[in-house]
Amino acid sequence: MAVNLDQKLEKQKTIDQLKDIEQDYKYGFHDPEDEYAFKSEKGLTEEIVRKISEMKEEPEWMLDFRLKALDIFQKKPMPTWGNTEYLNQIDFANIHYFVRSSEKQGRDWDEVPTYIRETFDKLGISLLEQKRMMGVAVDAVIDSVSVKTTFKKQLSELGIIFCSFSEAVQDHPELIKKYLGSVVPYTDNFFAALNSAVFSDGSFCYIPKGVKCPMELSTYFRINTAGTGQFERTLIVAEEKSTVSYLEGCTAPMRDENQLHAAVVEIVAMDDAFVKYSTVQNWYPGNKEGKGGVYNFVTKRGMCRGVNSKISWTQVETGSAITWKYPSCILKGDGSVGEFYSIAVTNNFQQADTGTKMIHIGKNTRSTIISKGISAGKSHNSYRGLVKVGKKAENARNFSQCDSLLMGDKCGAHTFPYLEIENKSAQVEHEATTSKIGEDQLYYCQQRGLSEEDAINLIVNGYCKEVFNELPMEFAVEAQKLLAVSLEGSVG
Amino acid sequence: MLVIKDLHVSAGELEILKGIDLVINPGEVHAIMGPNGSGKSTLAHVLAGKEDYEVTRGSIEFMGEDLLDMEIDERARAGIFQAFQYPVEIPGVSTAQFLKSVVNSIRTEKGEEELNAMEMLKLMRKKVKELGMNEALLKRSLNEGFSGGEKKKNEILQMAVLEPKLAVLDETDSGLDIDALRIVAEGVNTLRSAERSFIVVTHYQRLLDYIVPDFVHVLYQGKIAKSGDKNLALKLEDEGYDWLKDEISVSSIA
């Protein structure tokens, strides 16, 4: 298999730097921290929240939102579903809640500090190159602050707003005020409250009426500093008859201690609008003994507010020590459609608890759930999903398919489907399978000349095909490579 | 090409092959027949390298190399192809995709450049045409939902694309109707050449009407009880294996 990303890495002479660290996780380097412009004291207090808001020169209403959220966070208990054994070890007082990597967001590429640019080079996502080759607009968030947004001008000619969240607060307060928290209120859950109080940056995207965004929009997240939490927020608003495809990628350095990531993503889709949101999540998963790794607690939710609107989530989850993530759709508009396509891979000691909620409120709403779990090593992989059909949701349809693939005999796969049906006309189908990679399949592939590893990749890729098909081309290629890396050495 | 000497093979406690000697030269077609449980399929699997079997004694040399020292995939890349009795299904992987991965992994191993999607498709279409098969086969998930006949045809297609030095057909005729049998046999005949050898494992003489062997060996109780030319197969068809059993019991007493 040709590995473009690897070739790119070679080209950019970073192999030497990478040799020092474990090869398993090639995003494991970290930038010098003494070049940071600001790093908050550890711990979460009202003072810190005020400081964050002040440093970002936020208007009063924004600070108000944060303080209310902080209040909720301090009152809310830790969630109790899933495996909470590790969760209770998180010391929220021992986290830097805000780190600013450079004084200001570079308005020009040239103004972006060299070491940050080098980071992107190491990641193989040189912005300029992406810009040239793919025409993807990129917003990149390192630690807490959005560093650079490309393509802004071209997009703005169509009336599309694509900028960092901080900029949006300054430049488009009316939109932020209207939609922030409208899908995921700060009262929603523990981590959403935390995020709402301390979120540092993120992306904002607004597609006006009737506009089909001509390029993929992309956000790239990276945690760099030790002991930092990353709390970004993404808000996407798609007006009537607009269309947008949004990509999100993430990596983090290798650290022995755990890092916390608690993001919130909100999507609003009006009449006939279509939003496609694709994620390749590759936070550092911890080492083979289960030490270190990112705790990934993310609230992602889309509101199909308009008639015949559609929101489609696709995710490939390979990283993080612990992931709790349920990208969901509230199907409020009549005839609206929600989709969730997911691949979650866990190896070694990783734990993934992921799934979706499809809340049918409008008439003739439809949802599709395709979840593919792959567990190896001593990991645990759970699908947790809710399909809810409200009283007025006449003729709601749901199809769910949850497949689990086990590699080895020390891992676990679990499926927790919840159904709440309040309307008799609903049609809900659920299919679930659990399988092991068959020795017969391996033997067959090897007899044709494939190595055991290539055989596993081929079988796993075939198993995940329905989800890969949903990803944009270049993302699908990267995702397949990631899968191969994640499962390396998992058999035999 | 292939030299098997005094081959003893066990599966767990049970000894299945009890001293096989067999020499196959380039271009030869050898049919292996015998009653159920005589060890025919075991021989095919041992040549391919399946791990369920243990070679307790003897040797196998392939193209001058010690075959038993090679992994399954190494043997395949060296030119051994097994057409399976029960080809497995691999959901989500099309036949075309599968063949592309395999061909390119073999080419990479040999230090040759990989074929791109277009070149690969061209090659596969050519083979499909030569074998008189349906091109739709290429796009479908490998063996998933295939009929018995389609699965066996797919094996022959793979063989045609991979061009092995030694092809081992393990009861490829089982479960085939007469039309499928003909297509499979014609496929094999197209691939016969002075450099390529075949081992055809079968229960029935019927297949040998189409694939005419140079040699016929009868496997009985883990040994080659009798070897001959194609007439031996005809005799087995007429008289069954009983006369052979008598002959063996006589010879073992003597």
Side-chain angles (χ1 to χ4, degrees), chain A residues 77-108:
Chain A
M78 191 72 120
T80 51
W81 76 92
N83 186 337
T84 48
E85 181 193 341
Y86 293 90
L87 218 55
N88 293 327
Q89 294 166 15
I90 302 176
D91 182 1
F92 288 93
N94 198 26
I95 291 171
H96 295 287
Y97 284 88
F98 187 69
V99 177
R100 180 170 278 190
S101 62
S102 63
E103 221 20 82
K104 271 207 171 131
Q105 192 186 29
R107 289 287 160 172
D108 277 312

Side-chain angles (χ1 to χ4, degrees), chain A residues 336-486:
Chain A
S336 59
V337 176
E339 293 176 337
F340 174 73
Y341 299 96
S342 170
I343 296 169
V345 184
T346 52
N347 198 354
N348 300 317
F349 286 87
Q350 280 177 278
Q351 293 183 29
D353 195 304
T354 185
T356 183
K357 289 189 228 171
M358 293 291 174
I359 314 290
H360 293 255
I361 297 171
K363 296 186 182 92
N364 302 312
T365 47
R366 282 173 293 146
S367 61
T368 304
I369 299 170
I370 308 283
S371 165
K372 304 275 182 177
I374 303 165
S375 352
K378 294 177 178 167
S379 68
H380 281 272
N381 204 326
S382 303
Y383 168 81
R384 190 184 302 274
L386 167 69
V387 176
K388 182 170 180 165
V389 177
K391 281 198 184 81
K392 291 175 183 163
E394 290 292 325
N395 296 316
R397 298 274 180 279
N398 163 266
F399 174 75
S400 302
Q401 183 188 331
C402 304
D403 297 329
S404 308
L405 189 66
L406 298 165
M407 301 174 76
D409 52 9
K410 295 189 177 68
C411 54
H414 318 273
T415 306
F416 305 100
Y418 303 87
L419 296 173
E420 292 175 19
I421 313 296
E422 294 171 3
N423 186 306
K424 280 184 181 164
S425 65
Q427 279 187 22
V428 176
E429 289 174 67
H430 182 91
E431 288 178 10
T433 65
T434 301
S435 53
K436 286 185 96 164
I437 285 197
E439 278 178 30
D440 286 351
Q441 286 177 321
L442 279 180
Y443 174 55
Y444 189 87
C445 294
Q446 286 174 278
Q447 203 301 306
R448 295 300 183 250
L450 293 178
S451 67
E452 187 176 34
E453 223 158 76
D454 286 348
I456 290 170
N457 288 340
L458 189 82
I459 295 166
V460 168
N461 280 330
Y463 166 80
C464 296
K465 189 183 166 195
E466 288 157 285
V467 179
F468 282 140
N469 284 347
E470 295 299 321
L471 285 172
M473 189 60 173
E474 67 273 14
F475 238 37
V477 173
E478 190 185 334
Q480 290 191 10
K481 284 177 209 153
L482 259 180
L483 230 64
V485 172
S486 305

Side-chain angles (χ1 to χ4, degrees), chain A residues 30-297:
Chain A
H30 57 89
D31 298 322
E33 286 172 30
D34 49 8
E35 294 190 43
Y36 282 105
F38 173 80
K39 183 154 100 178
S40 74
E41 291 301 307
K42 281 182 175 175
L44 183 53
T45 58
E46 186 180 324
E47 204 189 326
I48 294 278
V49 172
R50 284 182 183 279
K51 180 80 182 165
I52 292 170
S53 191
E54 184 194 319
M55 286 199 64
K56 298 172 81 67
E57 297 167 20
E58 286 177 350
E60 192 64 31
W61 58 266
M62 196 67 255
L63 174 64
D64 196 44
F65 177 91
R66 288 178 182 279
L67 291 174
K68 280 181 186 154
L70 178 68
D71 186 47
I72 297 289
F73 171 72
Q74 285 165 341
K75 284 176 188 157
K76 262 203 191 288
M78 191 72 120
T80 51
W81 76 92
N83 186 337
T84 48
E85 181 193 341
Y86 293 90
L87 218 55
N88 293 327
Q89 294 166 15
I90 302 176
D91 182 1
F92 288 93
N94 198 26
I95 291 171
H96 295 287
Y97 284 88
F98 187 69
V99 177
R100 180 170 278 190
S101 62
S102 63
E103 221 20 82
K104 271 207 171 131
Q105 192 186 29
R107 289 287 160 172
D108 277 312
W109 185 236
D110 296 339
E111 289 173 28
V112 173
T114 319
Y115 73 91
I116 287 182
R117 280 197 268 171
E118 281 169 4
T119 301
F120 285 128
D121 287 346
K122 281 182 215 168
L123 293 169
I125 60 146
S126 149
L127 292 187
L128 290 172
E129 197 167 317
Q130 279 216 2
K131 197 166 154 180
R132 255 203 330 269
M133 287 169 57
M134 300 172 194
V136 174
V138 178
D139 184 21
V141 176
I142 289 201
D143 285 334
S144 308
V145 181
S146 180
V147 183
K148 178 73 190 147
T149 309
T150 56
F151 268 112
K152 196 183 284 178
K153 191 161 168 280
Q154 287 92 320
L155 292 169
S156 72
E157 280 163 12
L158 291 166
I160 295 171
I161 302 166
F162 180 44
C163 62
S164 74
F165 208 91
S166 311
E167 274 179 278
V169 170
Q170 303 297 337
D171 300 346
H172 309 283
E174 70 297 338
L175 288 172
I176 301 295
K177 256 197 244 179
K178 187 168 170 189
Y179 293 109
L180 177 68
S182 70
V183 187
V184 181
Y186 51 72
T187 50
D188 193 81
N189 68 68
F190 185 81
F191 292 106
L194 173 63
N195 174 287
S196 300
V198 300
F199 74 88
S200 41
D201 214 326
S203 294
F204 173 65
C205 168
Y206 177 84
I207 315 291
K209 194 172 164 178
V211 172
K212 292 203 178 345
C213 186
M215 60 186 82
E216 313 270 358
L217 300 183
S218 169
T219 303
Y220 200 85
F221 296 108
R222 179 166 174 81
I223 302 176
N224 190 55
T225 316
T228 317
Q230 173 142 325
F231 311 96
E232 83 276 358
R233 256 193 118 91
T234 303
L235 174 59
I236 299 172
V237 179
E239 292 284 10
E240 251 172 71
K241 294 192 170 120
S242 67
T243 299
V244 64
S245 170
Y246 195 91
L247 316 176
E248 174 197 76
C250 30
T251 60
M254 292 174 33
R255 303 265 187 203
D256 278 348
E257 83 269 26
N258 298 102
Q259 286 174 297
L260 179 62
H261 174 246
V264 171
V265 176
E266 295 178 281
I267 298 175
V268 180
M270 302 305 188
D271 289 0
D272 299 299
F274 174 36
V275 179
K276 184 178 174 63
Y277 196 104
S278 314
T279 306
V280 172
Q281 186 265 107
N282 185 28
W283 298 116
Y284 178 52
N287 70 8
K288 288 195 168 61
E289 281 75 48
K291 194 161 195 229
V294 171
Y295 289 165
N296 187 33
F297 305 115

Side-chain angles (χ1 to χ4, degrees), chain A residues 441 443-444 447-449, chain B residues 76-77 82 89 102 155 158:
Chain A
Q441 286 177 321
Y443 174 55
Y444 189 87
Q447 203 301 306
R448 295 300 183 250
Chain B
R77 292 194 293 265
Q82 180 183 11
E89 303 184 355
V102 169
E155 295 291 288
Q158 292 181 38

Side-chain angles (χ1 to χ4, degrees), chain B residues 185-196:
Chain B
E186 278 168 10
V188 171
N189 287 332
T190 328
L191 293 167
R192 280 177 83 157
S193 79
E195 292 82 41
R196 184 169 299 131

